[in-house]
Amino acid sequence: MSVEFLKNVRSSVVLTSLLAGALTISACQQQSEPESGMEDGVHAEETVPMSAEPAEHIAVVVDTADASLNEVEGDTTASVNSSVTQMSYLCTPELKVDATYKDDANQVVVATDMGTVTLNQTNEGSNPEVFEVATAIDGGQGFTQWRVGHEARDTGVMRTAGADESNVNTYECSKAS
């Protein structure tokens, strides 16, 4: 081997080493990604931030023109037609009252766990509206009286007694929400 040949090989090895080192260093450096074009955006999935707030309540309109009173669920407020309204009340001492107002007939049907009774309106006023019947809430001897206040019928008082009309039970009621 000649000295001239060894010098050429040595310079080739040094030059190759320098090129390999330059490629290695450039590969480790951060480079900005190229801007995505219109075609890249078509297939890319975008992330949309979610809100932690609940969705807006959507008012549901239900046509109840053909519904009978029995088809209306018991613990909701509903208007079957313009003259019948059903409302629920929670009372003190503990009692749940479901009242179905029949405005055309000036009546209210009051249903509790003690029984159900139909009461007739005894006054012309609207605040309070007074409804009475000469039977106890269980249908036996006695009386039941239902007084409901305010235009929206938000509060009511029920008085009922059995055969001993001197022993009157009074319940203060508020519209269930």
Side-chain angles (χ1 to χ4, degrees):
M1 283 207 214
S2 74
V3 175
E4 186 73 33
F5 176 74
L6 289 175
K7 284 184 181 183
N8 284 338
V9 171
R10 185 179 100 184
S11 63
S12 295
V13 170
V14 169
L15 190 57
T16 305
S17 299
L18 285 174
L19 284 174
L23 287 175
T24 304
I25 290 173
S26 67
C28 293
Q29 292 180 352
Q30 287 186 341
Q31 296 178 0
S32 62
E33 292 186 26
E35 293 292 324
S36 60
M38 187 67 151
E39 293 175 8
D40 293 340
V42 172
H43 299 291
E45 181 178 329
E46 291 186 31
T47 58
V48 178
M50 298 289 287
S51 172
E53 296 179 19
E56 298 262 342
H57 180 342
I58 299 172
V60 177
V61 177
V62 178
D63 181 14
T64 58
D66 294 332
S68 71
L69 186 59
N70 294 333
E71 293 173 347
V72 178
E73 188 172 327
D75 58 12
T76 60
T77 301
S79 292
V80 177
N81 58 39
S82 63
S83 64
V84 177
T85 305
Q86 189 173 29
M87 300 175 80
S88 293
Y89 298 87
L90 297 176
C91 306
T92 306
E94 188 175 342
L95 180 69
K96 182 179 177 195
V97 174
D98 291 320
T100 304
Y101 296 95
K102 299 178 181 180
D103 293 329
D104 288 347
N106 292 328
Q107 293 181 331
V108 63
V109 177
V110 176
T112 69
D113 59 346
M114 296 183 292
T116 301
V117 66
T118 301
L119 299 94
N120 295 309
Q121 188 169 1
T122 59
N123 68 339
E124 295 294 321
S126 62
N127 193 15
E129 292 175 278
V130 180
F131 300 88
E132 293 181 354
V133 69
T135 59
I137 194 77
D138 62 3
Q141 184 180 353
F143 76 90
T144 303
Q145 183 183 67
W146 174 250
R147 292 177 180 255
V148 64
H150 307 293
E151 291 287 322
R153 297 173 170 154
D154 287 338
T155 60
V157 174
M158 182 169 44
R159 297 178 65 231
T160 185
D164 180 11
E165 291 188 9
S166 64
N167 186 15
V168 177
N169 295 316
T170 303
Y171 301 90
E172 294 183 26
C173 305
S174 296
K175 187 169 127 180
S177 48

